[in-house]
Coordinates of all heavy atoms in Angstrom, one line a residue:
L48 N -7.0 14.4 6.0 CA -8.2 13.9 6.7 C -8.1 12.3 6.9 O -8.3 11.8 8.1 CB -9.6 14.3 6.0 CG -10.0 15.6 6.1 CD1 -11.2 15.7 5.3 CD2 -10.2 15.9 7.6
V56 N -8.5 4.3 13.3 CA -9.0 3.1 12.6 C -8.1 1.9 12.9 O -8.7 0.9 13.1 CB -9.1 3.4 11.1 CG1 -9.4 2.2 10.4 CG2 -10.1 4.5 10.8
V57 N -6.9 2.0 12.7 CA -6.0 0.8 12.9 C -6.1 0.2 14.3 O -6.4 -0.9 14.5 CB -4.6 1.0 12.5 CG1 -3.7 0.0 13.0 CG2 -4.5 1.4 11.1
Q213 N 7.7 13.7 -18.0 CA 8.7 12.9 -17.8 C 8.5 11.5 -18.0 O 9.4 10.6 -18.2 CB 9.0 13.0 -16.1 CG 10.0 14.2 -15.8 CD 9.9 14.5 -14.4 OE1 8.9 14.8 -13.9 NE2 11.1 14.5 -13.9
I222 N 9.8 2.7 -16.2 CA 8.4 2.8 -15.7 C 7.5 1.6 -16.3 O 6.7 1.0 -15.5 CB 7.8 4.2 -15.9 CG1 8.6 5.2 -15.1 CG2 6.3 4.2 -15.5 CD1 8.2 6.7 -15.3
P249 N -12.2 -14.0 -10.3 CA -11.2 -12.9 -10.2 C -11.8 -11.6 -10.8 O -11.6 -10.5 -10.2 CB -10.2 -13.3 -11.2 CG -10.2 -14.9 -11.2 CD -11.7 -15.2 -11.1
S291 N -10.8 -6.7 9.7 CA -10.4 -5.6 10.6 C -9.0 -6.0 11.2 O -8.4 -5.1 11.8 CB -11.5 -5.2 11.6 OG -11.7 -6.2 12.4
G342 N 9.3 -3.2 6.0 CA 9.7 -2.1 6.9 C 9.2 -0.9 6.3 O 9.3 0.3 6.8

Side-chain angles (χ1 to χ4, degrees):
L48 284 177
V56 167
V57 169
Q213 273 164 302
I222 295 172
S291 56

